[in-house]
Amino acid sequence: MRRTATMHHHGYLWLGSGYELAKDGPRRPGHPEFPTARVVPLELAHWLLKPRPFVQGTWDDPGAAAAWFGQRAREHASAFATAHDRDVERIAGKVESARRAAAGGEDVAGGWYLTGQRFLSVCLVACDPHPARPEFPCPEQ
């Protein structure tokens, strides 16, 4: 993907129950609960349709965006449901993949099941314009 001079990424985080994740309706635009539902949308670009307070951070620099992604993953890593997901080298690889994807103007999705039937979603969503949904407004405008 090509980057434009205005390309940036917004960070979004959701930590909730697997039950909420399985409820499909609130994860779709057009559903009455969508605007206020904190659960990760079915399509990453749909985060851009959520109110501004959902944005956890905004970065022009892909390295800074990936660093935030990695910090959020590492904060919760001890609760990841599997030893495979908790592996420090595996997490570092995901952060490097996030940096490369963000540098290419792509979205980044990280998702992990945690103990207690919880799920963590950490996302970086490309913006201004979004590569697949250029009609979606930037939440900062």
Side-chain angles (χ1 to χ4, degrees):
M1 274 286 136
R2 68 179 172 79
R3 289 190 74 206
T4 65
T6 59
M7 174 64 69
H8 57 271
H9 283 78
H10 298 293
Y12 297 91
L13 182 138
W14 178 74
L15 174 61
S17 75
Y19 173 75
E20 288 178 84
L21 192 63
K23 288 173 48 180
D24 184 87
R27 299 178 64 199
R28 295 178 183 276
H31 189 278
E33 294 176 37
F34 178 81
T36 59
R38 294 262 174 205
V39 66
V40 63
L42 290 174
E43 182 181 321
L44 290 183
H46 289 160
W47 274 121
L48 300 174
L49 301 175
K50 297 279 191 174
R52 171 70 178 96
F54 282 69
V55 176
Q56 301 286 309
T58 300
W59 304 271
D60 295 325
D61 175 47
W68 175 85
F69 177 92
Q71 288 169 339
R72 301 298 78 79
R74 285 188 290 277
E75 284 173 1
H76 298 278
S78 64
F80 288 175
T82 68
H84 177 74
D85 285 338
R86 290 189 295 270
D87 181 76
V88 174
E89 290 180 26
R90 182 168 170 74
I91 294 170
K94 284 193 173 283
V95 173
E96 177 54 25
S97 292
R99 187 200 59 75
R100 285 193 311 269
E106 299 173 28
D107 293 338
V108 176
W112 299 269
Y113 282 97
L114 281 63
T115 58
Q117 298 180 7
R118 298 172 299 151
F119 190 83
L120 172 68
S121 171
V122 181
C123 302
L124 298 171
V125 180
C127 187
D128 215 11
H130 186 274
R133 300 289 194 168
E135 71 277 13
F136 286 3
C138 176
E140 293 188 337
Q141 294 176 347

